[in-house]
Amino acid sequence: LASIPQGAVIERIGNREVQNWGDVQEALLQAQPGPVTIEVDSPTRTVTVEVPADEALRERMVGAVRYWMEPRIGQVVPGSPADDAGLEGGDLIVAVDGVPVETWWDLVDVVEDRAGVETRLTLERNGSELVRIATPDEVTSTDPVTGEEVTVGQIGVNSTGGAVTYERVSLSRAA
């Protein structure tokens, strides 16, 4: 899966066409164990992945795959480091401590690594570039790949998100 370029469009998994992120997740979760081909457009290529037979490993594999989202803030949690720094819904984060961010996940990765450390956020708001300083809170979280407890930084923002896709899941996954 790591060989699929960031921003590529997944067209098909196995013999199943996919149209949204929910379809991608469902196709990977329901695929037969073993090698499965993934057809990608932009750039066009075919990638073969090994789908594990173990349900927990399969769920971790699917959970580790990230879809593309721009690093635009949807909501700011009142009283959070982001709120204290003056971030607003609609702000587009373009860099963190001078390191460019292209996706929401770039932003999450950098902020998670900076728990308790003063962090410079460069953003675009209404056509102007602004800089805000926030110190991410230290939060205990579960790593989606390893399942281990880790301490990460959070500033108290949510993404603008995208289309919401609902899927049926087992009771154990819904909990």
Side-chain angles (χ1 to χ4, degrees), residues 34-70:
V36 173
T37 58
I38 299 176
E39 294 178 26
V40 178
D41 192 18
S42 299
T44 302
R45 69 172 56 171
T46 300
V47 175
T48 301
V49 297
E50 190 71 25
V51 174
D54 180 75
E55 184 178 343
L57 290 176
R58 185 184 296 235
E59 288 177 6
R60 280 194 188 154
M61 176 188 76
V62 171
V65 179
R66 296 175 169 180
Y67 56 95
W68 187 91
M69 287 190 325
E70 70 177 346

Side-chain angles (χ1 to χ4, degrees), residues 74-87:
Q75 297 176 327
V76 176
V77 176
S80 68
D83 187 33
D84 294 343
L87 273 67

Side-chain angles (χ1 to χ4, degrees), residues 71-76 88-93 124-126 160:
R72 186 173 302 277
I73 295 174
Q75 297 176 327
V76 176
E88 299 177 3
D91 288 347
L92 178 67
I93 307 299
E124 291 179 4
R125 180 187 297 158
N126 300 323
T160 54

